[in-house]
Amino acid sequence: MAGNSIGQVLRLTTFGESHGAAIGGVLDGYPADAAPDLDAVQEELDRRRPGGNRLGTSRMEADRVEWLSGLFEGRTMGTPIAFLIRNADQRSGDYDALREVYRPGHADRAWELKFGVRDHRGGGRSSARVTAACVAAGALARQLIGREGVTVEAFVSAVGNLALEATPADLSQRWTNDARCPDGALADRMAELIEAVRAAGDSVGGVVTCIIRGLPAGLGEPVFDRLDADLAKAMIGINAAKGFQMGKGFAAAALRGSQHNREPQGGVLGGISDGGLLRFDVAFKPPATIAQAQQTVNRAGDTVVLEAKGRHDPCVVPRAVPIVEAMACLVLGDHLLRQRLSRV
Amino acid sequence: MAGNSIGQVLRLTTFGESHGAAIGGVLDGYPADAAPDLDAVQEELDRRRPGGNRLGTSRMEADRVEWLSGLFEGRTMGTPIAFLIRNADQRSGDYDALREVYRPGHADRAWELKFGVRDHRGGGRSSARVTAACVAAGALARQLIGREGVTVEAFVSAVGNLALEATPADLSQRWTNDARCPDGALADRMAELIEAVRAAGDSVGGVVTCIIRGLPAGLGEPVFDRLDADLAKAMIGINAAKGFQMGKGFAAAALRGSQHNREPQGGVLGGISDGGLLRFDVAFKPPATIAQAQQTVNRAGDTVVLEAKGRHDPCVVPRAVPIVEAMACLVLGDHLLRQRLSRV
Amino acid sequence: MAGNSIGQVLRLTTFGESHGAAIGGVLDGYPADAAPDLDAVQEELDRRRPGGNRLGTSRMEADRVEWLSGLFEGRTMGTPIAFLIRNADQRSGDYDALREVYRPGHADRAWELKFGVRDHRGGGRSSARVTAACVAAGALARQLIGREGVTVEAFVSAVGNLALEATPADLSQRWTNDARCPDGALADRMAELIEAVRAAGDSVGGVVTCIIRGLPAGLGEPVFDRLDADLAKAMIGINAAKGFQMGKGFAAAALRGSQHNREPQGGVLGGISDGGLLRFDVAFKPPATIAQAQQTVNRAGDTVVLEAKGRHDPCVVPRAVPIVEAMACLVLGDHLLRQRLSRV
Amino acid sequence: MAGNSIGQVLRLTTFGESHGAAIGGVLDGYPADAAPDLDAVQEELDRRRPGGNRLGTSRMEADRVEWLSGLFEGRTMGTPIAFLIRNADQRSGDYDALREVYRPGHADRAWELKFGVRDHRGGGRSSARVTAACVAAGALARQLIGREGVTVEAFVSAVGNLALEATPADLSQRWTNDARCPDGALADRMAELIEAVRAAGDSVGGVVTCIIRGLPAGLGEPVFDRLDADLAKAMIGINAAKGFQMGKGFAAAALRGSQHNREPQGGVLGGISDGGLLRFDVAFKPPATIAQAQQTVNRAGDTVVLEAKGRHDPCVVPRAVPIVEAMACLVLGDHLLRQRLSRV
């Protein structure tokens, strides 16, 4: 059933497959009388775009947003903001071999068992390309929460075994390197690792950390629509995400209360923002598609050997950074608006 | 705004504060013509109940479910199944000192900043007591998914630094010890650790792992209502939960694709169940309330020293096991029903 | 699937069958820090209650609300307000004959074809008794919108062919007679008609009109969640309601624009309140159960003759008045809160 | 807040303003593996299109649907079906005079009081043009319910005082005349009336009746998401709709139960379809915009005289016929799918 919407008050519905005519979204519930900076939206999209980062795939996606509705004379109307991004570089031929074969570690087989049919070209709807719509909508949400002084900054905190030890106060440097890491020296090592992995026909996982400042206390709706629970859903919904933790997360499991009580709690208590800095991590698995022959099954149920064609990312975390930020902005925008409803 | 419901097709709305008249829930969307075993529901509640486990608080909660609607002559009617559990052991006097003071590491202050008012008795709505309603509803959901052969088994896989190395095939032993760990020897050590931590006036965190068998392929609605994303939301919504991971989770971030592709993927690919065993972990922080004097602030903004009164859990994970199972059953019940809608 | 909730921001979920243990509801999203007058809620329930009106059934229902959650020291907490009303006068024996027979003009057969099972006692969940939960929640919503100066007054404007010609400015007189009509002389004639119909073993339909004053302009969310559309859904959802119209409604269909533009438009334009008096009508059919033998079918498919037992209303509109008011209050409360979200 | 979606399982979200770049929609929850006839969708749109009916406005709207997603090799994928219709004939200059003036009987002023801003060109989002997206999505829903043998046929049953007395068995003739009335002789008189009203610079209201055949018993979710309640919301949400009635509707209010029980009940009992023919009526007001000078107010609050420019419909009911059908198909499609969830 319908499952392509996220948010209650500020609700994004996305559409589109990687090799269909277009991807896009409808952002409903965006308040009227704002004057969004649409160039800034395009800039955020460019950060996610393949081809904009030498550590990613060499696949080029222009990703120009076309605005369809909801804006008039530069202002939001209170009506749904619809937009689309054409799918330009559709080398569908690259994917012909996949019509009868399920890629290992991908949704191909599960998708076909669910729906009975499948768009085999580049993963169709399960492609990470469809997150571009989230980035565009998230950029609008960022401008909304920015009015309240909220900033959202994600960065790569680990690639493989290379992990950031201490978080720098200034995160802006993450945009100056392709690894999207705020520590320049570590970023260089991460880039080397990713290139080495690519050269080996392999892939590698990583972690994206997100830090949110300026968040007022009181956001989150107990007991189910907690702020951290909604963030968890949004993050685990990103392609290849396999883990989510608030504050110290899994490390907290090993601590005593007397220790943990002295630590920052990740900015959320009882599901409600506490006015402090909010921090969470998202773990991403290594991309399943690698330049090595792998065993898999085809539609007939036979075991076959598959060699990936096309152009693929050896590591998704650098490109996941703007997606994590976008999803966080959408969740926060929704909850900032919901917070208007908490008292008489 | 309204945020106390979870699920789309099978939807649970819960209500109640820990020291109000009652807690309870309304489970809407449960299909008609089932004959639920209500004694089995009560048994599941008894597993969550404080006082039923020597490793927990000595607070006694009888937790008898009273069924209000939705059942007639032993069968479900297709109408909302409402139930309540009276709050019996309400030593509110224990909490008088908390009217003006915010407990450290609790939602007290964030709650008051959100709503302007707060029920200071035992955390009110933010108390873990309210999860009893989830356990009751989850037990009904378990019977629904059990019809399709799905089983849900959670257990304690870590307490502090004591971690289960290998998962036994037979998990049933977890109910034979108070640590809720399927490895009896480790369970003994966990129990010792928890008692030592209690004796030291401290608390300790841990991890609950959940294994789901018999799940058909095809569950989950891309792109936002993915199965893993909905599980993440449900789990992070449990009191004290700070982390969620599918399959290898955070460990996957350090792996190469050539390694990870050989591992089980946690039962979900692209947000859709793949027909294999589903596995996830939930990290819980150590309880914030410990039997030591702690600095905190009061409503006037002054720093004060608080010594906890009342009876508290030194470790929540044993009692979290039935809650994790219940939330998983609710998510799976919802998605099993949603799956009926995927094809013409 | 789940269908027992109404409202988005202020959301009521109801439960209960007429002859089960209890009926009740959970009102989620009610803002914190209000101090509701619970005696006033009970007064509204007493107006709906059978036995409180000599024109209705002689069935006695005490309808005492028991509050379960959401309130502490007289104030709302921002948590779900749950309440129940026990079903006391359950002469189930009256209904034994209906186990195998479908009453004509009732939901019995449709219900059984939907769910496969049916509570044959007094209509079960399809009984008008379950609207008592709406009246209780609606009374709370009335107090919320009353803070903004909004008043909601419904009254009987027609019984059979007896119709009110002009609406008096003062509607308070409707509570001084059993016909719930603000024109005392007409109320007497309506009462006579209803008694004559009852004496003849028959029933009669009628119309309830609702007038809302003090409503600010701007309520309603185009294009689907319009204020009038949400009112229509709420009203047609009341038992026995068969028609809904705004302003001049069906009469407008026969007018020229040059005439109609000079008329008040019912308080809504393009689905949004225009700041004027809002007016709508709801048509109710005559109750299907009458004290005459009627042909119907049984579960075996045979045509049988049914003579109604039990105590029944010859006309529902007097008792529908508080229900119409309650549903209107719920819709307006929801939209008044939603309106906080319309602008940056 | 977000209010531009309708349906739970089959959910349509629409977007667009009459004079923006495009209107369109996203239909989520449409089951996979169907092979929709897209030419048939276009045909339905052509019936709603202005310029396609000599009784309507002479404004030409080409209304070509462009499909963006959800379809692959002629089949539905289970993914959102997004589509758009470009706004071609945008004589925005026609509307310059309306920047500072509120049209009487339109949403202009209410809209501006809600959102603070307004697109003054042709009503913006409140224009009936945006219903084209509903017609496109409704045409897809029609094909879905058609698989189950359900047919939906609406027609004009009244224009001003000209009303159809008896409903012909064969309704197909409604498409052979511009009045969309299945009685050819009456259609001629309706057409004459509409032309006379246009010549007089006036407008006229009317009624659309809808008949649904082949509907299985059991559709509708008590107590709030009843089938008739959802139809009421969908119909009153259509531009200029002012009344909705099931079966005999307002006429039933004047009947005795002994009479009414002998009548068909409109196909719904207790909110659930009963397996019989379903019938409802929708009343439409005369269009507010007429070719006569009318008094209104401007943004400064002054009373001014407005003479309508542009091209307008003297009567909306002929063009409302496909819209009523589309909205009914969407509601029925949603409920047919929901019905799969009613039993274990």
Side-chain angles (χ1 to χ4, degrees):
Chain A
M1 63 175 276
N4 292 276
S5 301
I6 193 162
Q8 297 297 314
V9 161
L10 179 67
R11 181 162 52 199
L12 173 67
T13 301
T14 69
F15 60 83
E17 290 80 44
S18 63
H19 288 67
I23 60 167
V26 183
L27 184 62
D28 197 5
Y30 201 91
D33 218 6
D37 177 345
L38 302 182
D39 293 334
V41 174
Q42 187 62 50
E43 277 170 38
E44 298 214 31
L45 266 174
D46 291 344
R47 287 181 183 147
R48 193 212 69 88
R49 187 169 57 82
N53 187 322
R54 81 185 150 87
L55 297 177
T57 168
S58 60
R59 207 168 58 242
M60 294 303 294
E61 299 177 357
D63 283 2
R64 299 301 307 178
V65 189
E66 181 185 354
W67 302 97
L68 298 174
S69 67
L71 297 160
F72 176 54
E73 298 182 343
R75 304 196 81 75
T76 59
M77 290 285 104
T79 56
I81 301 173
F83 57 91
L84 61 78
I85 301 165
R86 296 277 169 190
N87 291 325
D89 181 24
Q90 302 174 21
R91 288 202 211 163
S92 301
D94 281 2
Y95 299 100
D96 275 353
L98 299 175
R99 187 183 281 271
E100 298 297 324
V101 178
Y102 305 122
R103 293 170 299 165
H106 280 275
D108 299 358
R109 185 170 162 277
W111 189 279
E112 192 160 317
L113 289 170
K114 178 179 190 68
F115 290 118
V117 288
R118 172 173 65 98
D119 179 350
H120 63 278
R121 303 166 304 165
R125 180 83 181 138
S126 66
S127 163
R129 170 154 180 75
V130 307
T131 60
C134 299
V135 173
L140 290 174
R142 185 197 300 274
Q143 297 184 26
L144 184 65
I145 64 179
R147 300 171 66 103
E148 316 284 326
V150 183
T151 62
V152 174
E153 294 170 295
F155 54 92
V156 171
S157 55
V159 172
N161 287 312
L162 296 174
L164 187 67
E165 305 271 305
T167 306
D170 177 12
L171 299 168
S172 61
Q173 208 184 336
R174 72 200 191 282
W175 297 127
T176 65
N177 60 68
D178 284 337
R180 304 310 192 206
C181 176
D183 176 328
L186 183 61
D188 289 344
R189 293 170 57 209
M190 287 173 168
E192 282 163 31
L193 174 58
I194 294 172
E195 291 297 359
V197 162
R198 189 209 302 263
D202 211 336
S203 64
V204 65
V207 177
V208 174
T209 295
C210 187
I211 286 183
I212 297 162
R213 297 180 218 262
L215 201 62
L219 269 60
E221 303 291 328
V223 296
F224 294 120
D225 292 355
R226 294 173 196 234
L227 183 59
D228 44 4
D230 276 353
L231 285 169
K233 172 164 176 163
M235 296 305 148
I236 294 296
I238 299 175
N239 302 54
K242 285 292 167 181
F244 171 85
Q245 58 185 13
M246 292 293 298
K248 293 200 80 66
F250 278 86
L255 294 180
R256 297 290 182 279
S258 53
Q259 299 169 290
H260 188 256
N261 285 353
R262 288 191 295 264
E263 304 268 352
Q265 300 281 320
V268 171
L269 285 168
I272 305 175
S273 65
D274 64 7
L277 180 148
L278 191 149
R279 180 188 178 107
F280 64 83
D281 305 305
V282 188
F284 290 87
K285 69 174 183 180
T289 298
I290 55 178
Q292 302 178 12
Q294 296 188 82
Q295 274 203 350
T296 187
V297 292
N298 64 16
R299 299 179 76 184
D302 306 319
T303 299
V304 294
V305 170
L306 180 67
E307 273 190 78
K309 295 227 176 59
R311 294 143 298 169
H312 302 283
D313 278 323
C315 182
V316 298
V317 286
R319 282 181 54 216
V321 167
I323 306 171
V324 166
E325 290 192 359
M327 295 311 296
C329 289
L330 286 165
V331 170
L332 294 174
D334 190 36
H335 276 282
L336 260 172
L337 290 169
R338 290 175 80 162
Q339 175 63 351
R340 296 186 187 181
L341 305 163
S342 60
R343 304 189 194 184
V344 286
Chain B
M1 63 175 274
N4 292 276
S5 301
I6 194 163
Q8 298 297 315
V9 162
L10 179 67
R11 181 163 51 201
L12 173 66
T13 302
T14 69
F15 60 83
E17 289 80 42
S18 64
H19 288 67
I23 59 167
V26 183
L27 184 61
D28 198 6
Y30 202 91
D33 219 6
D37 178 345
L38 301 182
D39 293 335
V41 174
Q42 187 64 50
E43 274 170 41
E44 297 213 33
L45 265 174
D46 292 345
R47 287 182 183 146
R48 193 213 68 90
R49 186 170 57 83
N53 187 323
R54 85 186 145 86
L55 296 178
T57 169
S58 59
R59 210 170 52 242
M60 294 301 294
E61 299 177 359
D63 283 2
R64 299 298 309 176
V65 188
E66 181 185 353
W67 302 98
L68 298 174
S69 68
L71 298 159
F72 176 56
E73 299 182 340
R75 303 195 82 74
T76 57
M77 290 284 104
T79 58
I81 302 174
F83 57 91
L84 62 80
I85 301 166
R86 296 278 169 191
N87 291 325
D89 180 24
Q90 303 173 18
R91 288 200 211 165
S92 300
D94 282 2
Y95 298 100
D96 276 353
L98 299 176
R99 187 182 281 272
E100 299 297 324
V101 178
Y102 306 123
R103 294 170 299 165
H106 280 275
D108 298 359
R109 183 170 163 276
W111 190 279
E112 194 161 317
L113 288 171
K114 179 178 188 69
F115 289 120
V117 290
R118 171 172 66 98
D119 180 349
H120 64 277
R121 302 165 305 165
R125 180 85 181 136
S126 66
S127 165
R129 171 156 179 72
V130 307
T131 60
C134 298
V135 172
L140 290 174
R142 185 197 300 276
Q143 297 184 26
L144 184 66
I145 65 178
R147 299 172 67 103
E148 315 284 327
V150 183
T151 62
V152 174
E153 294 170 296
F155 53 93
V156 171
S157 55
V159 172
N161 287 313
L162 297 173
L164 187 67
E165 306 271 305
T167 306
D170 177 11
L171 299 168
S172 62
Q173 208 184 335
R174 71 200 192 283
W175 298 128
T176 66
N177 61 68
D178 284 338
R180 305 308 193 208
C181 177
D183 175 328
L186 182 61
D188 289 344
R189 293 170 57 209
M190 286 173 169
E192 281 162 33
L193 173 59
I194 294 172
E195 290 298 359
V197 161
R198 189 210 301 266
D202 212 336
S203 63
V204 64
V207 177
V208 174
T209 295
C210 187
I211 286 182
I212 297 162
R213 296 180 219 262
L215 201 61
L219 271 59
E221 301 293 328
V223 296
F224 294 121
D225 293 355
R226 294 173 194 232
L227 184 58
D228 44 4
D230 276 353
L231 285 168
K233 172 165 176 163
M235 296 306 147
I236 293 295
I238 299 175
N239 302 54
K242 285 291 166 183
F244 170 86
Q245 60 187 9
M246 292 293 298
K248 295 200 78 68
F250 278 86
L255 295 179
R256 298 289 183 278
S258 52
Q259 299 169 290
H260 188 255
N261 285 352
R262 290 191 295 265
E263 306 268 351
Q265 301 281 319
V268 171
L269 285 168
I272 305 174
S273 65
D274 62 8
L277 179 147
L278 190 148
R279 180 189 178 108
F280 63 84
D281 306 304
V282 189
F284 290 87
K285 69 174 183 181
T289 299
I290 55 178
Q292 301 177 12
Q294 296 189 81
Q295 275 202 349
T296 187
V297 292
N298 64 16
R299 298 179 76 184
D302 306 319
T303 300
V304 295
V305 171
L306 181 69
E307 277 192 74
K309 296 226 174 60
R311 296 143 296 173
H312 302 284
D313 278 323
C315 182
V316 298
V317 285
R319 284 180 54 216
V321 167
I323 306 171
V324 166
E325 288 192 0
M327 295 310 297
C329 290
L330 286 166
V331 170
L332 294 174
D334 189 37
H335 277 280
L336 259 172
L337 290 170
R338 290 175 80 162
Q339 175 61 351
R340 295 187 187 179
L341 305 163
S342 60
R343 303 190 196 185
V344 286
Chain C
M1 63 176 274
N4 292 274
S5 301
I6 193 164
Q8 298 297 316
V9 162
L10 179 68
R11 180 162 54 199
L12 173 67
T13 301
T14 70
F15 60 82
E17 290 80 44
S18 64
H19 289 68
I23 60 168
V26 182
L27 184 61
D28 197 6
Y30 202 91
D33 218 7
D37 178 345
L38 302 182
D39 293 336
V41 174
Q42 187 62 50
E43 275 171 39
E44 297 212 33
L45 266 174
D46 292 345
R47 286 181 182 145
R48 193 214 68 90
R49 186 170 57 83
N53 187 322
R54 84 186 148 85
L55 297 178
T57 168
S58 60
R59 208 170 55 241
M60 294 302 295
E61 298 176 359
D63 284 1
R64 299 298 308 177
V65 188
E66 181 185 354
W67 302 97
L68 299 174
S69 69
L71 297 160
F72 176 55
E73 299 183 341
R75 304 196 81 73
T76 57
M77 290 286 104
T79 57
I81 301 173
F83 58 90
L84 62 77
I85 302 166
R86 298 275 169 192
N87 291 325
D89 180 26
Q90 304 173 17
R91 289 201 210 167
S92 301
D94 282 3
Y95 298 100
D96 275 353
L98 299 176
R99 188 182 281 270
E100 299 296 326
V101 179
Y102 305 122
R103 294 168 299 165
H106 280 274
D108 299 358
R109 185 171 160 278
W111 190 279
E112 194 162 317
L113 289 170
K114 179 180 190 66
F115 290 118
V117 289
R118 173 172 64 98
D119 180 351
H120 63 276
R121 302 165 305 165
R125 180 87 181 134
S126 66
S127 163
R129 170 156 180 73
V130 307
T131 60
C134 298
V135 172
L140 289 173
R142 187 197 300 277
Q143 296 183 29
L144 184 66
I145 64 178
R147 298 171 67 103
E148 316 283 326
V150 182
T151 63
V152 173
E153 296 171 295
F155 54 91
V156 172
S157 56
V159 173
N161 287 312
L162 296 175
L164 187 68
E165 307 270 306
T167 306
D170 176 12
L171 300 168
S172 62
Q173 208 184 337
R174 73 200 190 281
W175 298 128
T176 66
N177 62 67
D178 284 337
R180 303 308 192 207
C181 177
D183 175 330
L186 182 61
D188 289 345
R189 293 170 57 207
M190 286 173 168
E192 281 165 30
L193 173 58
I194 293 171
E195 291 298 359
V197 162
R198 188 207 302 265
D202 212 336
S203 65
V204 66
V207 177
V208 173
T209 295
C210 186
I211 286 181
I212 297 163
R213 295 181 220 262
L215 200 62
L219 271 59
E221 302 294 328
V223 296
F224 294 121
D225 292 355
R226 294 173 195 231
L227 183 59
D228 44 3
D230 276 352
L231 285 168
K233 172 165 177 165
M235 296 304 148
I236 294 296
I238 299 175
N239 302 55
K242 285 291 168 184
F244 169 86
Q245 59 186 10
M246 292 293 298
K248 294 200 78 69
F250 279 87
L255 294 179
R256 297 290 184 279
S258 53
Q259 298 170 292
H260 188 255
N261 285 352
R262 289 190 296 263
E263 306 268 351
Q265 300 282 320
V268 172
L269 285 168
I272 305 174
S273 66
D274 63 7
L277 182 148
L278 190 150
R279 181 189 178 108
F280 64 82
D281 306 303
V282 188
F284 290 87
K285 69 175 183 178
T289 300
I290 56 178
Q292 301 177 12
Q294 297 188 79
Q295 274 203 349
T296 188
V297 292
N298 64 16
R299 296 179 80 184
D302 306 319
T303 300
V304 295
V305 170
L306 179 69
E307 276 191 75
K309 295 230 174 57
R311 296 143 297 172
H312 301 283
D313 278 322
C315 182
V316 298
V317 286
R319 283 180 54 215
V321 167
I323 306 169
V324 166
E325 289 191 0
M327 295 310 297
C329 289
L330 286 165
V331 170
L332 294 174
D334 189 37
H335 277 281
L336 259 172
L337 289 170
R338 290 176 80 163
Q339 175 61 354
R340 295 187 187 180
L341 305 163
S342 60
R343 303 189 195 185
V344 287
Chain D
M1 63 174 274
N4 292 276
S5 300
I6 194 163
Q8 298 295 316
V9 163
L10 180 67
R11 181 162 53 199
L12 173 66
T13 301
T14 68
F15 61 82
E17 290 79 44
S18 63
H19 288 68
I23 61 168
V26 183
L27 184 62
D28 197 6
Y30 202 91
D33 219 6
D37 178 345
L38 301 182
D39 293 335
V41 174
Q42 187 63 50
E43 276 171 39
E44 297 213 32
L45 266 174
D46 292 344
R47 286 180 183 148
R48 193 213 67 89
R49 186 169 58 83
N53 186 322
R54 79 183 153 88
L55 296 178
T57 168
S58 59
R59 209 170 52 242
M60 292 303 292
E61 299 176 359
D63 284 1
R64 299 300 306 179
V65 188
E66 180 185 355
W67 303 97
L68 299 174
S69 68
L71 298 160
F72 176 56
E73 300 182 342
R75 303 195 83 74
T76 58
M77 290 286 106
T79 58
I81 302 174
F83 57 91
L84 61 79
I85 302 166
R86 297 276 168 190
N87 291 324
D89 180 24
Q90 303 172 21
R91 287 201 213 165
S92 301
D94 283 2
Y95 297 100
D96 276 352
L98 298 176
R99 187 183 280 272
E100 299 296 324
V101 178
Y102 305 123
R103 293 169 299 165
H106 281 275
D108 299 357
R109 185 170 161 277
W111 190 278
E112 194 161 315
L113 289 170
K114 179 179 190 67
F115 289 118
V117 289
R118 172 172 65 97
D119 179 350
H120 63 276
R121 302 165 304 166
R125 180 84 180 136
S126 66
S127 165
R129 169 153 180 76
V130 306
T131 61
C134 299
V135 172
L140 290 174
R142 185 197 302 274
Q143 297 183 28
L144 184 65
I145 65 179
R147 298 171 68 103
E148 316 283 327
V150 183
T151 61
V152 174
E153 295 171 295
F155 54 91
V156 172
S157 56
V159 172
N161 286 312
L162 296 175
L164 188 67
E165 307 269 307
T167 305
D170 177 11
L171 299 168
S172 62
Q173 208 184 337
R174 69 200 191 282
W175 298 127
T176 66
N177 61 68
D178 285 336
R180 303 308 192 206
C181 177
D183 176 329
L186 182 60
D188 289 345
R189 292 170 57 209
M190 287 174 168
E192 282 163 30
L193 174 57
I194 293 171
E195 291 297 0
V197 161
R198 188 210 300 264
D202 212 337
S203 64
V204 65
V207 177
V208 173
T209 296
C210 186
I211 286 181
I212 297 162
R213 299 180 217 261
L215 201 61
L219 271 58
E221 302 293 327
V223 296
F224 294 121
D225 292 355
R226 294 172 195 235
L227 183 59
D228 44 3
D230 276 353
L231 285 169
K233 173 166 175 162
M235 296 305 148
I236 294 296
I238 300 175
N239 301 53
K242 286 291 167 182
F244 171 85
Q245 60 185 8
M246 293 292 299
K248 294 200 79 68
F250 278 86
L255 293 180
R256 296 291 184 277
S258 53
Q259 299 170 290
H260 188 255
N261 287 351
R262 289 191 296 264
E263 305 268 351
Q265 301 282 320
V268 172
L269 284 169
I272 304 173
S273 66
D274 64 6
L277 179 148
L278 190 149
R279 181 189 177 108
F280 64 83
D281 306 303
V282 189
F284 290 87
K285 69 175 184 179
T289 300
I290 55 178
Q292 301 177 13
Q294 295 188 81
Q295 274 203 348
T296 189
V297 292
N298 63 17
R299 299 178 77 185
D302 306 318
T303 301
V304 295
V305 170
L306 180 69
E307 275 191 77
K309 297 229 173 60
R311 296 141 297 170
H312 302 283
D313 278 323
C315 183
V316 297
V317 286
R319 284 181 52 214
V321 167
I323 306 170
V324 165
E325 290 191 359
M327 295 311 297
C329 289
L330 285 165
V331 170
L332 294 173
D334 189 38
H335 277 281
L336 259 172
L337 289 170
R338 289 175 80 162
Q339 175 62 353
R340 295 187 187 180
L341 305 163
S342 60
R343 306 188 194 186
V344 287

